[in-house]
Amino acid sequence: MLFRSDYKTKISSEKTKMGNKLYSPIELNKAFDDKFNQKNWNESRYNYYITLNRELMEKSLLMSAKEQKEFFIKNGEKDPIFSYNQTDFVKDKIAVEVQFGKYSFVAYDLFVKHMLFYSGGKINLGIEILANKKMQAQMSSGVAYFEGEVYNVMRQGRNSP
């Protein structure tokens, strides 16, 4: 579906790829959106409040945002900070992130978004969709690729799920 020239709509202005047609992350994301939405996978937003008190944070993980705020105030947090994270697609406690952006966003997806949704009981599994190295070579520089990110995860050893 997606490794076709239909999605090579970006004209490069990079010195090493000047004028070349490259895969467009915008077009690729739109194609994934269309296909996932057809199958009733939808974006999900996880709202929560922040505390630096680890004990309160651990006790509040499975509470709703409203309950967290009330709990923090009751336990001495004067102005709890509201925050949220969004993930591309969620269905049946599975989250899918489509990432054709810069490589740094993959670590954020894996170790912040997926972990937050997991620890908050919203998902049991997180999936990251990336270009492989062959496809990444036909994209703008700095885009993450599957083989490199698998290596990064393996280097973490048994320290992270």
Side-chain angles (χ1 to χ4, degrees):
M1 169 187 107
L2 293 177
F3 203 56
R4 301 186 321 219
S5 60
D6 304 13
Y7 302 101
K8 283 189 166 183
T9 60
K10 183 175 182 177
I11 306 300
S12 178
S13 58
E14 296 178 37
K15 189 165 54 171
T16 58
K17 299 178 182 182
M18 186 66 72
N20 291 350
K21 276 188 156 183
L22 304 176
Y23 284 105
S24 165
I26 293 169
E27 296 296 325
L28 291 167
N29 280 321
K30 184 179 179 319
F32 274 103
D33 284 347
D34 292 346
K35 294 294 182 186
F36 273 95
N37 290 333
Q38 287 172 14
K39 302 288 183 182
N40 296 315
W41 287 77
N42 299 299
E43 177 184 288
S44 182
R45 185 172 157 143
Y46 180 72
N47 299 320
Y48 59 97
Y49 280 86
I50 295 170
T51 180
L52 297 181
N53 181 321
R54 184 172 183 88
E55 185 180 329
L56 293 180
M57 184 264 304
E58 288 175 350
K59 288 179 181 176
S60 71
L61 284 177
L62 297 178
M63 295 177 185
S64 70
K66 182 179 184 235
E67 292 168 327
Q68 285 178 345
K69 183 177 182 181
E70 292 168 359
F71 175 72
F72 290 160
I73 290 170
K74 180 180 167 188
N75 284 279
E77 297 282 329
K78 291 183 175 36
D79 295 311
I81 300 169
F82 175 79
S83 193
Y84 71 92
N85 259 310
Q86 167 274 332
T87 196
D88 293 336
F89 308 103
V90 176
K91 182 177 172 181
D92 300 330
K93 297 196 104 175
I94 299 169
V96 178
E97 279 291 313
V98 178
Q99 190 54 262
F100 296 116
K102 300 295 183 193
Y103 61 88
S104 59
F105 294 125
V106 174
Y108 186 81
D109 289 350
L110 295 177
F111 298 105
V112 176
K113 284 185 175 185
H114 287 313
M115 292 297 279
L116 176 71
F117 275 70
Y118 178 78
S119 64
K122 301 295 182 188
I123 65 168
N124 291 326
L125 176 69
I127 298 170
E128 193 79 3
I129 295 177
L130 307 166
N132 64 11
K133 180 61 180 167
K134 183 178 176 183
M135 183 177 180
Q136 182 258 4
Q138 299 173 62
M139 299 178 82
S140 294
S141 63
V143 172
Y145 59 96
F146 173 77
E147 296 86 348
E149 294 306 321
V150 167
Y151 178 76
N152 289 339
V153 169
M154 289 190 316
R155 277 195 345 232
Q156 297 292 319
R158 302 289 295 175
N159 297 326
S160 300

